[in-house]
Amino acid sequence: SLLQEIIPRNRNRMSRILEALPFEFLHNIDLSEKRNKIASIIAGFLFFSGWWFAIDASASYYQDTRDVFHICGVFSTISMFMVNAVSNSLLRGDSFTDGCLGSVGGRIWFFFGFMMGFGSLIGACYILFGEYVYISDNVNNTFKPEHTYPGVAFFLQNVLIFLSSITFKFGRSEDMWG
């Protein structure tokens, strides 16, 4: 089939690229043993970077932020813990213990975790566009920021925490756990 013809060509091309590099240690890289470590480091870096943006915006542009804007980041963090609390085997229904509600309860918990994560992203979009990009001329609007960076920072915080959650959940392999 066409797909079988394409895949070996791309593998050969990638190995040729690595072999063409002048560094000898790049020729024999096998990252399968270090997959969990790499995924954990990347997820931790994304999580750290997200909170760094939010703290930087609050510290540098305090007059252009509201304390309420941190709620989306807090809920995004709670979402990350909810999503990663459920093992992949429990989601597939392959678990050895049923627990309180079994695999159905785990799937419900996982679903609500993702709903909370997407809700945080939607809230961060509103913070960016509703509070920073579009500034209303309404007399009742008392929040008129001078800079747009805090809105971008709060949005990036939630995007990076969400990507961290996905990386930590699906980037690791549970096969090595025994």
Side-chain angles (χ1 to χ4, degrees):
S1 81
L2 181 63
L3 185 61
Q4 291 173 342
E5 293 175 12
I6 292 172
I7 291 175
R9 255 190 267 149
N10 288 339
R11 284 186 187 158
N12 290 337
R13 183 183 313 148
M14 185 54 121
S15 66
R16 284 184 284 172
I17 290 172
L18 287 177
E19 289 172 1
L21 294 174
F23 306 109
E24 187 67 32
F25 67 92
L26 291 176
H27 294 252
N28 300 322
I29 292 179
D30 184 25
L31 297 177
S32 62
E33 295 176 5
K34 299 179 182 178
R35 179 178 174 176
N36 289 352
K37 290 180 185 177
I38 292 170
S40 299
I41 289 169
I42 291 171
F45 178 74
L46 291 172
F47 182 78
F48 162 77
S49 299
W51 274 104
W52 186 267
F53 277 117
I55 293 170
D56 178 50
S58 293
S60 301
Y61 300 95
Y62 183 74
Q63 68 279 5
D64 288 341
T65 61
R66 289 184 174 171
D67 293 338
V68 171
F69 294 162
H70 286 286
I71 290 176
C72 287
V74 169
F75 277 107
S76 187
T77 301
I78 293 171
S79 162
M80 184 184 82
F81 289 124
M82 287 177 71
V83 165
N84 288 294
V86 180
S87 69
N88 289 336
S89 61
L90 189 64
L91 289 175
R92 287 189 304 261
D94 298 338
S95 65
F96 295 111
T97 61
D98 288 332
C100 183
L101 294 174
S103 63
V104 174
R107 291 175 185 154
I108 291 171
W109 184 262
F110 185 76
F111 177 72
F112 278 112
F114 262 114
M115 278 183 31
M116 191 180 294
F118 282 119
S120 298
L121 280 175
I122 292 169
C125 285
Y126 172 76
I127 289 171
L128 174 60
F129 293 108
E131 298 288 337
Y132 287 96
V133 174
Y134 174 72
I135 300 173
S136 175
D137 293 334
N138 190 351
V139 241
N140 296 329
N141 184 12
T142 58
F143 183 68
K144 297 186 187 219
E146 296 176 18
H147 304 288
T148 313
Y149 170 72
V152 173
F154 288 124
F155 178 73
L156 280 176
Q157 174 197 22
N158 287 281
V159 167
L160 290 173
I161 291 174
F162 187 75
L163 289 175
S164 168
S165 177
I166 290 174
T167 303
F168 195 73
K169 179 67 182 169
F170 300 112
R172 294 177 305 132
S173 141
E174 294 180 354
D175 296 338
M176 293 184 223
W177 294 356

